[in-house]
Amino acid sequence: HSLGAPWLMVAGDAINTHVFSLLCLTVNKHKPWIETTYHGIVTENDDKVLLDPPLIALDKDAPLRYAESFEVTLTEEGEICGFRIHGQNVPFEAVVLDKSTGEGVIRAKDKLDCELQKEHTFTIQAYDCGEGPDGANMKKSHKATVHIQVNDINEYSPVFKEKSYKATVIEGKKYDSILKVEAVDADCSFQFSQICNYEIVTPDVPFTIDKDGFIKNTEKLSYGKEHMYKLTVTAYDCGKNRASEDVLVKISVKPTCKPSWQGFNKRIEYEPGTGSLALFPSMHLETCDEPITSIRASIELETNHIGKGCDRDTYSEKSLHKLCGASSGTVELLPAPSSSANWTVGLPTDNGHDSDQVFEFNGTQAIKVPDGMVSTSLKEPFTISVWMRHGPGAHEKETILCNSDKTEMNRHHYSLYVHNCRLILLLRQDPSEAENYKPAEFHWKLDQVCDKEWHHYVLNVEFPTVSLFVDGTTFEPFLVTEDYPLHASKIETQLTIGACWQGGNARMAQFFRGNLAGLMIRSGKLENKKVIDCLYTCKEGLDVQLPEEVASAVKVEFNPNQSSLTVEGDDIDAFDKVMQHISYLNSRQFPTPGIRHLRISTTVKCFNEESCVTVPDAEGYVMVLQPEEPKISLSGIDHFARSAAEFESQEGVTLFPELRIVSTITREVEADAESETAEGTVVSEEIMHNLDTCEVTVVGDELDGEHESLEVDMSQLQQHGLEMSSSNLGLVITGVNTMANYEQVLHLIRYKNWHTEALFDRKFKLVCRGMTDRLSVNVIHTASPVEHANNAMVQPNFINPVHHASVDLSGHNLVNAHQASVVPSAATIVIVVCVSFLVFMIILGVFRIRAAHQRTMRDQENGKENEMDWDDSALTITVNPMEVKNKTKQNPTHLGTTSERFSGDYHAVAVFTSAEVRHSTNHKGGSLY
């Protein structure tokens, strides 16, 4: 009653003394109790967890047990009904083994994987069975923390990180370590995931490997004995599992390291028109692991054998001055021989392949410049420019340009000469000046004067100041001497090149030995630096585009004409990148083909030493391939007749009324993949470029100024920026301009003749040049009208190029009727020769056909079986001589185009033969044929 529990009922007043039962009713007063922390271990792929301490829940409500008595329990207070696990995605469960004792276990729901999770932590709570059959008033224990570690089993084998390993060693060295191989194990435990040992499986190799995977050689290796070793290597984890797959290790043996440039292609081909070409795209500097502090490399492109030191535009020097912006008034003293400038005709030229007009002086040649070509006075500024190549010579004066007394005396008024590798300009004062000393000789001591290389010299004279530019660089005179002015006299002067004229002795003296080109003199204005640089600029050279990431780490410097550059830096990787971006560029449309030598000179410095590594020079060459050669074609009317009145009229006769100038390039186009034939197709493409000169010269007698003339509209010339010079030999139109503009100007040339009876024949030759070429005009071809058998006029297309320096471009024939009756014309002679040749060919053809027929009959009679006999029977040619003879009476026919090909530059000549004027016996003027 004191407990407030149900009280007992005792039946009756009498109490049985044998047995009585006491029924006690209790309540669930206490919570179960468990430990606060548990630690467990479970092996992966197993579900049993070993806990420390064991999982046991205690409850004070559990009944007491006595050995002497027994009791009947009517309730389950104190019994443990279960355990509850708290946590997210816990792969464990707790199970009660004995409710009365509270013993339980924790086990895994599924197989565990240590590699996925090594440890698990969660909380657990015990609860009792509560009061009564329905478990009312159930009590829970506090929450305990459970830490379970998953034990690993050695289920994985080592795996190497790489599929194979490579290394390179230098022969004759023992290395502490050549390379490292590395394997990994996917097991989670330290014991089974660690690699405890590596082993070289390949027997009898001079290498060993340690437990960390480092391979080294056990003896010095020899390149001559073995170039490469192939090793098979395996690995073991600490559980003694061997690698699932062994790995291949390749060790290459290099010869003893020599510092040098590697990956350098000695031959580099350059295709014209492709822009810049990387010279060293894969090159790097091998320093043999020396500690480098700085690198300096000089790259030189040797072009001295090309043109005047390199590939430049080879227009005439006068045209180049104009293109570079020089003022007018420039006089070319060494022009290409022409009808208007013939004083250089007998002068030897350099017969090289550089396409420039270069004159050679061997110490015996000199030329006189015609009077009136140059008027230079010390009172006004003037400029002298020249290209010169000169080597060490005698200790005598060698004159380049000299203006001296023509007769009586040997005084030099001004001259430019070489003496003991010095360049000297002599300027004597005008006699009208005051009698006092003034500068007279300016001396420059220059290595360039005697190095046998081409250099460009420009002298700007504004007395008493003289400025010298050599290859665009300014040089000051090291010596200036003074002299009195010349005595007054009325003796005329003579301008000479290659020597100095001695008027008193009437002979040349102080001859020059070397090469000269582009000798120009201009009065009234000095050349500015921009023009001088333009004249010297090469069209080929070195170039470099610095990558942004290395631009600040490397220094690059060029020389003025970009034929050499210097690279300096201290970072080898950045240095290599800059070298790999150096390129060759030739901007000429038709560059001079051939070899340009390359040289790389390198200096390397190391710590505390001036030069610790010697890098040999690397040499190679750029091969500029032959460009697609242009073919300039001149076409027009080859023969026509006009009345005498037209020649004698105020307008005259248009010399080239239907002239057409076309330039083409022939190239092969690859055959289409679907085409039946594998061969390509040759096509001609028309291209546009500039012309430099067109010259119209008289073939035969010179023009008689009293009776005939060649004229052109000067306003049209000036409008197109062209210049014209004329003489009794013809006229020359100069200036760099388009073919179309030259065409228009040539259409304007007119021929007049006021005395046609006096002429038997008159022909003109037209020569147009794209650039000044090196080939002399020495072959003349006269085109005659040629017809087909049907008497139709021939309108020919482009024909194959011929390899002559020039072809006759004749204008008109003026034939006197009385003379023609007595003297056979050139056309008649040609016809007779052609007919004779054709008759000979017919007879020869008939003879060969009969001989071949007889030989065939003999072979058939002898029973020979010749499956493939060569048929060498000639063609039978039938010609109507009357048709040939009548060609001279036909209407005007068109001329077949004639063209020229040259290496690098282009030069074309076309042919117009004859125009006739026939006079009747009754009146002047005659009929038009």
Side-chain angles (χ1 to χ4, degrees):
H1 293 283
S2 63
L3 297 174
W7 46 276
L8 298 175
M9 297 292 297
V10 180
D13 296 327
I15 298 175
N16 190 335
T17 59
H18 295 286
V19 166
F20 69 93
S21 295
L22 180 64
L23 300 176
C24 298
L25 297 176
T26 61
V27 295
N28 191 13
K29 181 180 179 182
H30 299 93
K31 295 179 180 180
W33 178 89
I34 57 175
E35 298 287 346
T36 58
T37 303
Y38 294 91
H39 293 274
I41 297 174
V42 63
T43 302
E44 63 176 344
N45 300 328
D46 193 5
D47 62 348
K48 296 179 181 179
V49 179
L50 298 178
L51 284 178
D52 181 27
L55 182 59
I56 299 176
L58 303 176
D59 195 327
K60 291 183 179 180
D61 294 324
L64 298 177
R65 298 179 183 275
Y66 297 95
E68 297 85 2
S69 63
F70 68 92
E71 56 185 1
V72 178
T73 305
L74 300 179
T75 62
E76 296 181 351
E77 290 85 355
E79 290 187 349
I80 302 301
C81 274
F83 296 93
R84 184 171 298 165
I85 292 177
H86 300 276
Q88 189 174 6
N89 298 326
V90 178
F92 296 95
E93 61 182 2
V95 180
V96 177
L97 297 179
D98 190 337
K99 291 184 178 182
S100 60
T101 61
E103 184 180 356
V105 294
I106 296 177
R107 60 191 180 191
K109 296 178 182 179
D110 297 304
K111 292 183 179 180
L112 301 176
D113 191 344
C114 176
E115 285 70 42
L116 295 178
Q117 189 169 347
K118 292 182 180 181
E119 293 183 351
H120 298 269
T121 301
F122 53 88
T123 57
I124 191 171
Q125 193 175 30
Y127 58 91
D128 58 22
C129 295
E131 301 174 358
D134 57 354
N137 197 25
M138 180 185 67
K139 300 290 185 179
K140 298 178 182 179
S141 70
H142 62 274
K143 292 180 180 179
T145 302
V146 180
H147 300 281
I148 297 178
Q149 178 180 336
V150 182
N151 278 357
D152 186 26
I153 61 174
N154 195 8
E155 58 184 325
Y156 292 100
S157 298
V159 177
F160 285 95
K161 286 186 174 182
E162 304 290 340
K163 292 183 179 180
S164 64
Y165 292 86
K166 294 180 181 180
T168 301
V169 296
I170 305 298
E171 65 173 348
K173 291 180 65 175
K174 287 191 69 175
Y175 291 82
D176 293 332
S177 173
I178 296 174
L179 79 158
K180 180 183 180 182
V181 298
E182 187 175 0
V184 294
D185 195 305
D187 288 311
C188 67
S189 65
F190 179 82
Q191 177 185 4
F192 298 139
S193 65
Q194 295 299 306
I195 307 301
C196 282
N197 188 31
Y198 291 93
E199 180 183 342
I200 297 176
V201 179
T202 307
D204 302 325
V205 289
F207 298 94
T208 184
I209 188 170
D210 62 16
K211 62 182 181 62
D212 295 320
F214 289 100
I215 297 176
K216 64 180 181 179
N217 54 323
T218 56
E219 62 184 46
K220 293 181 179 180
L221 304 177
S222 171
Y223 178 79
K225 182 179 179 181
E226 193 71 44
H227 291 2
M228 177 183 289
Y229 290 89
K230 295 182 180 180
L231 315 177
T232 301
V233 177
T234 192
Y236 295 90
D237 63 21
C238 294
K240 296 186 179 181
N241 267 5
R242 180 172 172 168
S244 56
E245 290 185 10
D246 299 338
V247 71
L248 178 64
V249 178
K250 295 179 181 180
I251 299 177
S252 300
V253 181
K254 287 179 61 177
T256 304
C257 181
K258 296 179 181 179
S260 62
W261 287 104
Q262 303 291 324
F264 174 44
N265 189 3
K266 291 187 176 181
R267 176 186 170 94
I268 304 155
E269 291 188 351
Y270 179 80
E271 185 175 349
T274 56
S276 61
L277 172 68
L279 296 175
F280 322 114
S282 304
M283 191 171 71
H284 68 276
L285 181 62
E286 174 61 64
T287 60
C288 300
D289 299 328
E290 290 287 346
I292 303 301
T293 58
S294 67
I295 312 169
R296 186 178 188 274
S298 297
I299 299 91
E300 297 181 8
L301 180 71
E302 298 179 3
T303 60
N304 295 331
H305 61 292
I306 303 296
K308 298 188 291 289
C310 67
D311 222 352
R312 294 183 170 88
D313 280 335
T314 53
Y315 295 114
S316 68
E317 199 68 25
K318 190 171 183 180
S319 296
L320 286 175
H321 274 69
K322 189 173 181 180
L323 286 175
C324 287
S327 302
S328 59
T330 301
V331 179
E332 191 171 6
L333 300 181
L334 281 176
S338 66
S339 60
S340 60
N342 57 2
W343 62 89
T344 59
V345 169
L347 197 61
T349 57
D350 181 4
N351 294 320
H353 303 284
D354 43 35
S355 304
D356 288 334
Q357 189 68 54
V358 175
F359 295 95
E360 183 177 357
F361 296 83
N362 62 7
T364 61
Q365 302 99 342
I367 58 172
K368 294 181 180 180
V369 178
D371 295 338
M373 289 294 299
V374 178
S375 59
T376 299
S377 171
L378 297 182
K379 295 180 180 179
E380 61 180 8
F382 65 94
T383 296
I384 299 175
S385 64
V386 65
W387 284 95
M388 181 176 72
R389 177 168 60 188
H390 181 266
H395 298 290
E396 302 173 355
K397 293 182 179 180
E398 299 180 47
T399 301
I400 301 170
L401 177 70
C402 180
N403 183 261
S404 59
D405 290 332
K406 182 177 288 188
T407 59
E408 299 182 22
M409 290 188 286
N410 300 331
R411 299 179 306 172
H412 298 177
H413 294 257
Y414 65 84
S415 67
L416 180 65
Y417 63 94
V418 174
H419 188 209
N420 291 333
C421 294
R422 298 178 183 180
L423 184 68
I424 302 171
L425 176 66
L426 170 67
L427 291 173
R428 299 298 301 274
Q429 297 178 59
D430 193 292
S432 62
E433 296 291 336
E435 295 286 337
N436 55 4
Y437 278 107
K438 283 191 176 181
E441 281 190 337
F442 300 81
H443 297 246
W444 292 270
K445 190 171 183 180
L446 303 168
D447 294 335
Q448 292 90 331
V449 172
C450 293
D451 64 1
K452 294 184 179 180
E453 304 292 346
W454 279 107
H455 298 285
H456 186 235
Y457 301 83
V458 177
L459 286 153
N460 276 341
V461 180
E462 191 170 17
F463 195 81
T465 301
V466 179
S467 301
L468 173 66
F469 298 86
V470 181
D471 298 337
T473 303
T474 307
F475 289 87
E476 295 295 330
F478 81 96
L479 176 65
V480 178
T481 61
E482 296 182 338
D483 201 349
Y484 281 108
L486 295 172
H487 298 292
S489 71
K490 297 182 179 180
I491 301 174
E492 294 182 353
T493 59
Q494 176 65 59
L495 185 62
T496 56
I497 300 171
C500 208
W501 175 252
Q502 303 288 359
N505 303 327
R507 63 181 180 88
M508 293 286 187
Q510 302 174 5
F511 287 95
F512 180 78
R513 295 174 179 83
N515 297 97
L516 296 176
L519 179 57
M520 310 286 291
I521 189 166
R522 190 176 72 171
S523 301
K525 191 173 181 180
L526 303 179
E527 297 286 16
N528 59 48
K529 186 66 166 59
K530 183 178 180 180
V531 173
I532 294 172
D533 290 341
C534 174
L535 292 172
Y536 176 68
T537 299
C538 290
K539 291 296 183 178
E540 65 177 338
L542 300 174
D543 192 18
V544 61
Q545 299 295 330
L546 290 179
E548 293 183 2
E549 63 270 19
V550 299
S552 59
V554 179
K555 180 182 178 183
V556 179
E557 292 182 349
F558 286 89
N559 71 337
N561 64 347
Q562 290 191 266
S563 63
S564 68
L565 63 86
T566 302
V567 184
E568 294 186 33
D570 53 12
D571 186 320
I572 295 181
D573 292 337
F575 200 91
D576 287 344
K577 285 185 179 180
V578 172
M579 294 294 289
Q580 292 166 7
H581 283 77
I582 295 175
S583 59
Y584 169 79
L585 178 63
N586 194 319
S587 59
R588 287 192 66 191
Q589 188 175 9
F590 307 106
T592 304
I595 291 175
R596 277 76 163 161
H597 290 281
L598 275 172
R599 180 188 298 271
I600 305 175
S601 305
T602 311
T603 303
V604 177
K605 293 183 180 180
C606 302
F607 289 98
N608 302 323
E609 294 186 36
E610 278 298 312
S611 180
C612 58
V613 174
T614 301
V615 179
D617 291 352
E619 296 184 358
Y621 61 93
V622 177
M623 173 59 76
V624 178
L625 302 178
Q626 179 75 36
E628 294 180 346
E629 297 175 339
K631 182 176 67 175
I632 302 178
S633 301
L634 308 181
S635 61
I637 297 176
D638 70 335
H639 176 83
F640 59 88
R642 296 288 185 270
S643 66
E646 290 187 50
F647 286 94
E648 296 174 354
S649 66
Q650 184 67 29
E651 292 80 13
V653 175
T654 301
L655 201 56
F656 311 116
E658 297 184 19
L659 176 66
R660 179 84 171 92
I661 305 176
V662 177
S663 182
T664 58
I665 284 182
T666 302
R667 65 183 183 89
E668 185 174 349
V669 179
E670 294 183 1
D672 192 352
E674 300 178 357
S675 177
E676 296 180 359
T677 59
E679 296 182 357
T681 304
V682 177
V683 298
S684 292
E685 293 182 354
E686 184 172 342
I687 63 170
M688 302 301 297
H689 53 74
N690 293 333
L691 295 179
D692 183 20
T693 304
C694 278
E695 180 181 2
V696 181
T697 56
V698 180
V699 178
D701 296 336
E702 298 179 1
L703 292 175
D704 186 347
E706 295 183 0
H707 303 119
E708 55 186 341
S709 67
L710 287 175
E711 297 180 2
V712 65
D713 189 343
M714 294 302 297
S715 62
Q716 290 291 329
L717 276 176
Q718 295 173 358
Q719 182 178 344
H720 290 99
L722 298 174
E723 297 180 2
M724 190 269 289
S725 59
S726 62
S727 68
N728 56 356
L729 297 177
L731 59 85
V732 180
I733 300 173
T734 59
V736 179
N737 216 313
T738 64
M739 293 185 295
N741 285 343
Y742 264 95
E743 231 179 62
Q744 293 178 17
V745 171
L746 290 171
H747 287 166
L748 301 175
I749 298 177
R750 308 182 73 83
Y751 171 69
K752 297 181 182 180
N753 192 301
W754 304 278
H755 189 58
T756 56
E757 294 86 351
L759 287 178
F760 168 70
D761 183 78
R762 177 57 82 201
K763 298 180 182 179
F764 298 93
K765 179 174 67 176
L766 172 62
V767 179
C768 288
R769 296 181 178 90
M771 292 184 179
T772 304
D773 56 77
R774 303 288 310 271
L775 300 178
S776 59
V777 180
N778 54 13
V779 181
I780 297 179
H781 292 261
T782 302
S784 298
V786 178
E787 295 179 330
H788 293 297
N790 61 2
N791 291 328
M793 290 192 300
V794 181
Q795 182 71 32
N797 294 322
F798 291 105
I799 62 174
N800 291 330
V802 296
H803 297 281
H804 300 292
S806 67
V807 180
D808 192 354
L809 182 56
S810 304
H812 309 282
N813 275 346
L814 307 178
V815 182
N816 186 289
H818 303 286
Q819 292 173 330
S821 63
V822 179
V823 182
S825 68
T828 304
I829 296 173
V830 171
I831 291 172
V832 172
V833 173
C834 290
V835 171
S836 301
F837 178 74
L838 289 174
V839 171
F840 171 75
M841 290 299 296
I842 292 170
I843 296 172
L844 179 62
V846 171
F847 175 78
R848 294 185 66 183
I849 291 172
R850 291 189 62 187
H853 179 71
Q854 292 174 0
R855 184 167 56 255
T856 303
M857 294 298 295
R858 287 197 303 270
D859 291 342
Q860 291 176 351
E861 290 173 359
N862 295 334
K864 294 182 180 179
E865 295 181 357
N866 295 326
E867 296 181 359
M868 295 182 67
D869 283 340
W870 179 265
D871 183 9
D872 59 353
S873 60
L875 295 175
T876 301
I877 304 174
T878 303
V879 177
N880 185 346
M882 295 303 295
E883 289 182 352
V884 178
K885 185 176 180 180
N886 291 336
K887 289 174 185 177
T888 57
K889 297 183 179 181
Q890 299 298 324
N891 288 331
T893 60
H894 280 273
L895 156 78
T897 58
T898 304
S899 57
E900 295 295 325
R901 277 190 182 180
F902 298 105
S903 175
D905 304 305
Y906 35 93
H907 164 117
V909 191
V911 178
F912 294 81
T913 51
S914 56
E916 298 181 358
V917 179
R918 295 291 180 92
H919 304 275
S920 67
T921 56
N922 297 326
H923 63 277
K924 186 178 179 180
S927 302
L928 174 63
Y929 290 89

